[in-house]
Amino acid sequence: MMKSILIILLITFSLTDSYSQLSKTEYEDVVKYFVGCIKDKDIDKLNSIISYPIQRPYPIPPIRNKQEFKNRYSEIFDDNLTSSITNSNIKEDWSDLGWRGIMLHNGIVWIDYNGKLTAINYTSDKEKSIEEKWIKYQKELLHTDLKNFKKPIHTIESDKFIVRIDLLENEKYRYASWSKHSEISSKPNLVINKGERRADGSSGNHYFTFVNGEYRYIVYVNIFGTNETPLFNLEVIKNDKVLLKQPAKLKEIK
């Protein structure tokens, strides 16, 4: 008897899991609409459900508006990404994660509960080629002290400072900063090596910490947040006292 009950329970749980990863049936309609836009390659419809800007792998510039999206659509939505979306099973491949919204697979695409496209965590071969060109350009542009790095991570600006973070060959991070109106081709005012990256919860938010004597420089990266949440926060701490706390944004490098 007990064995029969266990078998029934296992079947019930199995059917429940395979039925849907979405907690509400109305979310299925949200996903269906988005998938339909991709199937039809209807850029105008997509443009109406995008939450700008769409961040791209740094140093590729973000997509800031509808015209840029039209111009760069094929850079992002290549055959692989398009196939992953259009061939996805809405009941099995999409899931909602609380305030973070609805994701495809392990977060390759995110949409909110109103159907707005909020993030694309996929880089096409075309974008990878563009990324390499941007990296080469930045290496030529930077001051000679900063030309050696493995991968650029961020260049941001707050009300007072420009801050650049690079991944070095030793898998540590480098912090370089300038005053607000400086050029990054000039010698930085401060350079700190041996920085570390740490996760800030399970949402994808994270932060970088750099130690310089009794000072700590922290850059928070807010992948998920409210509309009022800045993409970055910069903090400077001496011992346990916060000396500076400023929101920051990506710096446009031309």
Side-chain angles (χ1 to χ4, degrees), residues 154-158 161-165 175-178 219 234:
H154 301 294
T155 301
I156 65 174
E157 57 182 344
S158 70
F161 299 103
I162 298 169
V163 172
R164 181 180 175 91
I165 299 174
Y175 177 104
S177 70
W178 300 259
V219 177
L234 172 64

Side-chain angles (χ1 to χ4, degrees), residues 60 75 125-135:
I60 300 174
E75 290 177 13
D125 288 340
K126 190 171 183 179
E127 274 195 311
K128 288 174 183 175
S129 176
I130 294 170
E131 181 181 21
E132 287 301 316
K133 291 178 182 178
W134 271 101
I135 291 173

Side-chain angles (χ1 to χ4, degrees), residues 185-230:
S185 56
S186 65
K187 187 177 179 67
N189 298 324
L190 176 65
V191 176
I192 310 172
N193 296 308
K194 299 182 180 179
E196 296 185 348
R197 179 188 188 277
R198 297 183 185 277
D200 189 8
S202 59
S203 65
N205 292 351
H206 56 279
Y207 61 93
F208 299 89
T209 302
F210 304 86
V211 178
N212 185 33
E214 58 191 356
Y215 293 88
R216 278 187 296 138
Y217 298 79
I218 305 174
V219 177
Y220 294 91
V221 184
N222 307 308
I223 304 297
F224 284 95
T226 67
N227 291 334
E228 290 73 36
T229 303

Side-chain angles (χ1 to χ4, degrees), residues 70-199:
K70 285 185 177 182
N71 295 342
R72 295 170 60 184
Y73 176 84
S74 62
E75 290 177 13
I76 301 172
F77 290 94
D78 64 358
D79 290 343
N80 287 333
L81 181 57
T82 299
S83 178
S84 293
I85 296 169
T86 57
N87 293 325
S88 64
N89 185 308
I90 292 176
K91 294 183 181 296
E92 296 178 8
D93 298 329
W94 294 82
S95 55
D96 56 281
L97 274 77
W99 59 271
R100 285 169 283 185
I102 302 169
M103 69 175 184
L104 171 62
H105 297 310
N106 61 346
I108 191 172
V109 170
W110 285 86
I111 58 178
D112 68 17
Y113 296 114
N114 295 316
K116 290 279 188 180
L117 175 65
T118 57
I120 303 168
N121 297 311
Y122 171 85
T123 308
S124 68
D125 288 340
K126 190 171 183 179
E127 274 195 311
K128 288 174 183 175
S129 176
I130 294 170
E131 181 181 21
E132 287 301 316
K133 291 178 182 178
W134 271 101
I135 291 173
K136 182 179 179 182
Y137 170 71
Q138 288 198 4
K139 283 189 174 183
E140 293 172 351
L141 185 65
L142 284 167
H143 186 271
T144 185
D145 290 352
L146 302 178
K147 289 183 184 293
N148 293 322
F149 58 84
K150 182 177 180 180
K151 181 178 174 61
I153 303 301
H154 301 294
T155 301
I156 65 174
E157 57 182 344
S158 70
D159 286 342
K160 293 184 177 180
F161 299 103
I162 298 169
V163 172
R164 181 180 175 91
I165 299 174
D166 292 301
L167 176 64
L168 304 179
E169 293 295 340
N170 62 2
E171 300 302 321
K172 295 291 185 179
Y173 294 89
R174 181 180 65 203
Y175 177 104
S177 70
W178 300 259
S179 59
K180 171 75 172 183
H181 299 292
S182 300
E183 299 292 335
I184 63 171
S185 56
S186 65
K187 187 177 179 67
N189 298 324
L190 176 65
V191 176
I192 310 172
N193 296 308
K194 299 182 180 179
E196 296 185 348
R197 179 188 188 277
R198 297 183 185 277

Side-chain angles (χ1 to χ4, degrees), residues 2 5 15 25-26 46 53 59 67 69 75 80 86 101 113 150 165 178 187 192 201 211 223 229 235 241-244:
M2 182 60 71
I5 292 173
L15 288 173
T25 54
E26 56 260 38
L46 275 172
Q67 188 57 52
F69 180 73
E75 290 177 13
N80 287 333
T86 57
Y113 296 114
K150 182 177 180 180
I165 299 174
W178 300 259
K187 187 177 179 67
I192 310 172
V211 178
I223 304 297
T229 303
E235 273 190 11
K241 183 179 179 181
V242 177
L243 302 179
L244 175 79

Side-chain angles (χ1 to χ4, degrees), residues 4-57:
S4 298
I5 292 173
L6 287 172
I7 290 172
I8 291 170
L9 287 172
L10 285 170
I11 292 172
T12 301
F13 287 134
S14 176
L15 288 173
T16 301
D17 287 344
S18 63
Y19 175 69
S20 181
Q21 300 292 320
L22 296 169
S23 62
K24 296 183 179 180
T25 54
E26 56 260 38
Y27 297 161
E28 293 183 17
D29 293 331
V30 169
V31 173
K32 283 177 184 176
Y33 186 85
F34 171 73
V35 172
C37 290
I38 301 298
K39 278 184 177 178
D40 297 338
K41 295 185 178 180
D42 194 326
I43 297 176
D44 289 329
K45 275 189 177 180
L46 275 172
N47 249 326
S48 69
I49 58 167
I50 291 177
S51 179
Y52 291 106
I54 300 176
Q55 301 299 330
R56 304 312 302 140

